[in-house]
Amino acid sequence: MEKVKKYISDTVEEMRHRVSWPKYAELQNSSVLVLVGSIVFAIVVGLMDFVYDSTLSWFYNQF
C-alpha cells in the first residue's frame, strides 16, 4: 500500500512542478490546426470514396 501512496504522491508532484503546460494561445493554435487538418483529411477521404464509387459504378454498368 505504501508503494501506491508514493506513486500517487510522485505523480501529483510531477504534474504540478515538472510538466510544462501550454499557454491558452498555444492551445488555441494547436486546436485550430488539428481542426483544419481533420477537415482536410475528411475531404480528401470523401473525394477518394466518391471517385472510387463512381469508377466502380461506371465499370459495373458496362456489363
Side-chain angles (χ1 to χ4, degrees):
M1 189 66 178
E2 190 62 37
K3 288 183 179 181
V4 174
K5 288 180 184 178
K6 180 168 176 19
Y7 172 76
I8 292 172
S9 173
D10 289 346
T11 302
V12 169
E13 179 189 343
E14 184 166 347
M15 295 298 277
R16 284 188 182 162
H17 302 292
R18 296 182 189 158
V19 174
S20 62
W21 297 99
K23 302 291 181 211
Y24 186 70
E26 293 172 347
L27 191 60
Q28 279 184 320
N29 289 339
S30 297
S31 297
V32 169
L33 184 63
V34 168
L35 180 64
V36 169
S38 297
I39 290 171
V40 168
F41 184 73
I43 290 171
V44 168
V45 170
L47 286 173
M48 288 171 51
D49 181 52
F50 177 75
V51 168
Y52 185 73
D53 183 49
S54 298
T55 304
L56 284 179
S57 294
W58 172 81
F59 180 76
Y60 288 135
N61 287 332
Q62 297 299 312
F63 299 105

